[in-house]
Amino acid sequence: MPKDGGIGASSKRREDVRFLTGKGRYTDDINIHGQAYAYFLRSEVAYGKINGIDTSVAEGMPGVVQIFTAKDFEGAGGIPCGWQVTDRHGQPMQEPKHPILAEGFVRHVGDPIVGVVADTLEQARDAAEAIDVDITEIDPVLDMRAALADGATKVHDELSSNLCYDWNLGNSPEEAEQVMNSAHHVTTLELTNNRLIANPMEPRVAVGDYSIANDDYTLYTTSQNPHVIRLLMGAFVLNIPEHKLRVVAPDVGGGFGSKIYHYAEEAFCTFAAKQCMRPVKWTSSRSEAFVSDAHGRDHVTTIRLALDENGKFLAIHTDTLANMGAYLSTFSSSIPTWLHGTLMAGNYTTPIVSVNVKAVFTNTVPVDAYRGAGRPEATFQLERVVDKAAREMGIDPVEIRRRNFITEFPYATPVAVEYDTGDYHATMDKLLELSDHAGFEVRAAESKANGKLRGFGISHYIEACGIAPSNLVGQLGARAGLYESATVRVNATGSISVMTGSHSHGQGHETSFAQVVAEMIGIDEKQIDIVHGDTANTPMGMGTYGSRSLAVGGSAIVRATEKILNKAKKIAAHLLEASEADIELKDGTFTVAGTDKSVAWGDVTLAAYVPHNYPLEEIEPGLEETAFYDPANFTYPSGGYGCEVEVDPETGKVQILSFTAADDFGNVVNPMIVEGQVQGGLAQGIGQALLENCAYDENGQLLSGSYMDYTMPRADDVPMFKVDHSCMTPCTHNPLGVKGCGEAGAIGSPPAVVNAVIDALQRGGHDVKHIDMPLSPDRVWMAMNS
Amino acid sequence: MHNFDFVKPGTVADAAAALQGDEAQPLGGGQTLIPTMKQRLAAPETLVSLIGIAEMQGVCKTDAGELSIGGATTHATVEAEAASLFPGLAGLAGRIGDPAVRNRGTIGGSLANNDPAACYPAAALATGATIRTDKREIAADDYFQGMFTTALDEGEIIVEVRMPIPEKSNYQKFLQPASRFALTGVFVAKYADGVRVAVTGASEEGVFRWTEAEQALGSNFAADAISGLSVSADGMINDLHGTPEYRAHLVKVLTGRAVMAAA
Ligand SMILES: Cc1cc2nc3c(=O)[nH]c(=O)nc-3n(C[C@H](O)[C@H](O)[C@H](O)COP(=O)(O)OP(=O)(O)OC[C@H]3O[C@@H](n4cnc5c(N)ncnc54)[C@H](O)[C@@H]3O)c2cc1C
């Protein structure tokens, strides 16, 4: 019987009532009396020296309130990077200044140069068109290999080169090399992980407001982590103490990572609000989003896998160039390192794993986390090279994986992480069953009869979620803690408001977090509301990314609710004139064990606030508790993904016929929400594999700067998914035993799709070993015909 | 978007008069022009809407056996009203953009714009259509003059498009994955006196006729008839979505498919 509430129930998403009926309140819905509008004049060239900016005509134009250039921000700091990576020589990464408005140079198409504030947006735009920016163009730095060559033009004059850092993890390259030299077989694969643009449905928006009465600021912004923005912007950029700065991230229409970071426009609107003595609003256009939201991925990798004669993995060596873009976005430096290198062992017992990453500055939009962040890049290269090795050695791709699966836990990898639990054979079994792997040959024959090439591709991923133990990430260079917070406020009549430091921008926290609390107390979910997104009424939290909300934020809620229950039991014991040790809680009623003496939840909560009959000498009145939860380890979701495709050999067009995901997320709070998260992730992973391609031309102009050229996945690009999460090895170190499911789909799917296409082509007699994503029809056709 | 005046005349004559003004421009469904204005790439002072002109609306069969389509007829109307008269054209119209685009966008707007990846130019050229404007009649073979370039003068209005109805026809559109315009599209039209094959999406010169295929198909209207032909990649479009070689290859594949679907 499915449960109709609490943990394990597919409770309907309560937030959907407002989202699906147009009643959401997004940042762009916020309009403050007297508000003015900001428009940014952005660089149209990839690299150039600013000789002068003439705003004189624009200043006299109708409606113009004030025009800002870098000069106005001389007292402000640069936009900080939140993670300092230490290179393989023990030196800190090179960290250029990231000004709010371009200082002396523009470094990518879209770099903001001038901010115009006017009564209306059209007036601001008119004025911006009348501004004359005199720029001497410089040949841009675009290709990462060329950027690292001796004598290459530097993106930042003040740095010694375009190398941000040169970083190693795991075994030394020499150790790996030794194994490669004597191994039975070495498989090599060069690949790129294509650059992507997040494209949340809601573009970014910022509304800055300043109150002279209280000398305080409010920023409304499209953020996945309002407290982080308050800390970064207040302490590092604008020098506003936290008690004078409130950051509100109301309903947010999707983030996928791109709304984690502190952006220039947020600082601009907050700063300009005081300068102009008016609220200042900026709403990104879609075109602007393409050149100002942080991009994702963009790795160029060479991976080598050494195997013995039985297909046992002996060593992995991987070299990656990671594009940082022109400036370091908030988490950019950590993505190719601690969120990528640490996953290079995958599901396998490979004893030697050596990872090198060189992060490179180029004249492109900054690159940062995008759904999966580092882990898709790791999974892609590993699951592709494993597949290639299987083909080269004539071993079945399922079998080669099984021969190398880790089966004993905890398992310490050579790349700094320890997996607590998992059962990879179980998810592989589930995948083969649900995808009818056994029947594939029959289906392949049918396709062949119809002139089509059918292929099946597998990937078995692992990822690290729930970021993360603060003391560990501190050692690794994080400039913040990565705990999460919760305050559980029980009202007098027993209803509850939970204030969480997590932020929901589509994930359904308001539903699943309420299920957790309802389960613990034994009351109806409807009695519980989840409050998030406003620094004024939630405890300092780190926000939502890295599939961390339930594992870390949910655990904080559990801890706070435990404190509530401890206190409630004391009150119940008093009311029942029993010993606290004898009090049992079931279905929202406190009972004295072995008796029929009981008191209801609502009576206990009322007593806490109307403490007439109350143990005041022992405990305080009221029922409100806060907890901060810092995880002991990452969580390690894993799973087996299978993709079945048909390729049209005449056109190279790939159609996905079926996609099966057998995940192990540990315990599951709301199976329907989990299924939705996986489906969304799969659609994005398929988007990366077949469709999405952020491309620049040789001048640094974005070729895919609109939906005319940037291909988002549409409904008819994806199949009906088969999603299963019945394999559960609960996380051993958080109270819910949950692992996180938000990114898995995007992490595990791209290699499954590419492996399937390669399988189809090889079955069709084409000697194609690899195609770089996206596997668009022209690329597949070119690969078949070259 | 900059401010502009808006007029919506009821006759072609009034529209033509309104278009005499400086910086006046016709407006069909606005599916191309309005986004361009929002991006401030176009800034007409007056928009002359053509959709209120009754004689520019609708689809019918003329006495001469041609399909007559009013210049301001939407794609959705063509899809519905040409379905039995000229199914090949209805099929083309029904796969332009999405329902919103089809309910607003017009054939006149599409032909006036002459986007190198648009669908209607292929049908107009393959049928040897006549483009009737407020001033003259232009044969399709003279009308298309390269990407976004046509024989139209400034302010000239496409009032009607007349297409000889073929015995058999089919349009094959291979989608550009992002825009879902034609990465390459081929319209094949078979008449009693010959076959015409028009290709959109592929050439840097815009829509063109593949005459070798027309000859081959004229004597044998079967996909096999073109198997020995090849299309040169010279002058084909090279972009993110396809090389010249790929487009040249698609021209042949799609022509074969169109013939098979039509036959
Ligand atoms: C999302 C989307 C998808 C699309 N997909 C496709 C597709 O798959 N295939 C395809 O072919 N097209 C596609 N289009 C384009 C669509 O067909 C447009 O409707 C068409 O190109 C322009 O027609 P319109 O009536 O909207 O013209 P408008 O935008 O109003 O005008 C376009 C130009 O034509 C001029 N004009 C308009 N009417 C006339 C007339 N009667 N006489 C003279 N000049 C005139 C205008 O002055 C302007 O210069 C798509 C458009 C969108 C927005």
Side-chain angles (χ1 to χ4, degrees), chain A residues 53 212 588 740 775:
Chain A
I53 303 174
I212 195 165
L775 273 57

Side-chain angles (χ1 to χ4, degrees), chain B residues 74-240:
Chain B
T74 63
H75 311 330
T77 301
V78 173
E79 179 188 8
E81 296 186 3
S84 56
L85 296 168
F86 187 174
L89 185 72
L92 173 150
R95 275 175 294 146
I96 293 176
D98 49 49
V101 170
R102 293 197 289 275
N103 283 321
R104 298 288 314 176
T106 66
I107 188 168
S110 178
L111 293 177
N113 196 47
N114 192 21
D115 187 305
C119 301
Y120 270 128
L125 192 58
T127 55
T130 301
I131 318 284
R132 181 166 71 86
T133 74
D134 56 326
K135 296 186 184 138
R136 54 186 165 147
E137 297 200 337
I138 312 171
D141 283 315
D142 303 324
Y143 175 84
F144 299 104
Q145 301 188 346
M147 282 194 184
F148 298 107
T149 314
T150 69
L152 290 180
D153 293 332
E154 194 110 330
E156 193 171 355
I157 302 168
I158 298 177
V159 176
E160 180 196 18
V161 182
R162 284 199 314 271
M163 298 182 179
I165 299 176
E167 290 170 356
K168 290 172 178 169
S169 68
N170 184 260
Y171 177 61
Q172 290 287 318
K173 177 184 187 185
F174 193 83
L175 300 181
Q176 195 263 50
S179 71
R180 295 199 169 183
F181 276 65
L183 180 66
T184 293
V186 176
F187 200 105
V188 172
K190 180 181 182 310
Y191 294 92
D193 59 350
V195 176
R196 287 173 69 110
V197 177
V199 179
T200 187
S203 168
E204 288 179 336
E205 303 296 319
V207 65
F208 71 96
R209 282 171 65 187
W210 186 17
T211 45
E212 285 117 309
E214 291 181 353
Q215 274 155 23
L217 292 166
S219 44
N220 174 20
F221 194 68
D224 287 353
I226 59 162
S227 59
L229 303 184
S230 67
V231 182
S232 164
D234 286 348
M236 294 286 172
I237 297 170
N238 189 14
D239 65 11
L240 262 188

Side-chain angles (χ1 to χ4, degrees), chain A residues 72-119:
Chain A
D72 299 286
F73 288 91
E74 270 165 4
I79 296 173
C81 179
W83 201 302
Q84 186 181 59
V85 169
T86 302
D87 76 5
R88 66 196 180 92
H89 308 294
Q91 297 301 310
M93 65 187 189
Q94 296 209 73
E95 207 173 343
K97 184 178 180 190
H98 184 180
I100 294 169
L101 295 174
E103 268 177 25
F105 291 87
V106 289
R107 293 191 172 87
H108 65 85
V109 170
D111 209 357
I113 308 167
V114 185
V116 180
V117 179
D119 289 340

Side-chain angles (χ1 to χ4, degrees), chain A residues 408-455:
Chain A
E408 280 167 34
F409 297 90
Y411 179 84
T413 73
V415 277
V417 288
E418 186 177 285
Y419 304 159
D420 59 340
T421 174
D423 185 348
Y424 310 141
H425 285 290
T427 40
M428 181 66 97
D429 289 343
K430 194 58 150 183
L431 162 66
L432 298 180
E433 174 202 326
L434 292 177
S435 61
D436 185 20
H437 187 248
F440 174 75
E441 294 296 341
V442 175
R443 298 191 295 274
E446 279 168 22
S447 295
K448 200 170 174 188
N450 295 327
K452 298 278 168 62
L453 311 176
R454 194 182 278 247

Side-chain angles (χ1 to χ4, degrees), chain A residues 222-500:
Chain A
T222 46
S223 175
Q224 301 177 214
N225 32 228
H227 282 100
V228 174
I229 303 305
R230 185 179 67 162
L231 179 65
L232 292 177
M233 184 176 83
F236 297 98
V237 185
L238 297 181
N239 203 6
I240 304 169
E242 277 155 299
H243 68 297
K244 293 293 185 191
L245 176 58
R246 175 182 168 204
V247 177
V248 185
D251 284 336
V252 172
F256 311 111
S258 71
K259 292 174 183 167
I260 298 172
Y261 328 118
H262 175 42
Y263 284 98
E265 297 88 354
E266 294 171 321
F268 180 90
C269 290
T270 309
F271 180 83
K274 182 173 180 184
Q275 300 300 307
C276 303
M277 279 295 161
R278 285 173 69 172
V280 174
K281 178 177 199 169
W282 169 74
T283 301
S284 174
S285 69
R286 185 58 70 180
S287 312
E288 225 175 344
F290 275 95
V291 295
S292 68
D293 291 4
H295 293 175
R297 316 279 194 263
D298 205 350
H299 285 191
V300 175
T301 294
T302 303
I303 181 168
R304 288 180 298 155
L305 172 65
L307 306 94
D308 74 9
E309 57 280 10
N310 299 315
K312 278 290 268 180
F313 304 161
L314 302 175
I316 289 166
H317 182 268
T318 169
D319 269 316
T320 288
L321 298 180
N323 204 335
M324 294 286 101
Y327 306 101
L328 291 176
S329 174
T330 309
F331 275 138
S332 57
S333 51
S334 68
I335 307 305
T337 50
W338 299 108
L339 289 172
H340 166 253
T342 47
L343 273 302
M344 280 315 308
N347 298 123
Y348 311 114
T349 53
T350 321
I352 307 271
V353 181
S354 175
V355 181
N356 179 266
V357 177
K358 295 181 182 70
V360 185
F361 293 108
T362 60
N363 290 112
T364 62
V365 171
V367 181
D368 207 323
Y370 166 66
R371 200 169 193 169
R375 292 152 292 169
E377 295 90 316
T379 304
F380 185 70
Q381 48 168 308
L382 187 59
E383 289 302 291
R384 281 288 300 127
V385 81
V386 164
D387 227 66
K388 186 163 184 255
R391 291 177 186 286
E392 287 174 359
M393 294 188 67
I395 304 174
D396 181 76
V398 175
E399 177 57 26
I400 202 169
R401 289 177 167 87
R402 289 203 192 269
R403 281 185 203 170
N404 290 283
F405 274 163
I406 296 160
T407 52
E408 280 167 34
F409 297 90
Y411 179 84
T413 73
V415 277
V417 288
E418 186 177 285
Y419 304 159
D420 59 340
T421 174
D423 185 348
Y424 310 141
H425 285 290
T427 40
M428 181 66 97
D429 289 343
K430 194 58 150 183
L431 162 66
L432 298 180
E433 174 202 326
L434 292 177
S435 61
D436 185 20
H437 187 248
F440 174 75
E441 294 296 341
V442 175
R443 298 191 295 274
E446 279 168 22
S447 295
K448 200 170 174 188
N450 295 327
K452 298 278 168 62
L453 311 176
R454 194 182 278 247
F456 190 87
I458 282 192
S459 104
H460 210 286
Y461 77 91
I462 182 152
E463 56 150 330
C465 288
I467 51 176
S470 294
N471 54 4
L472 174 65
V473 296
Q475 286 167 25
L476 305 183
R479 286 164 167 159
L482 285 170
Y483 56 83
E484 199 45 85
S485 64
T487 295
V488 176
R489 176 178 298 158
V490 183
N491 302 311
T493 59
S495 68
I496 297 172
S497 298
V498 178
M499 278 65 79
T500 170

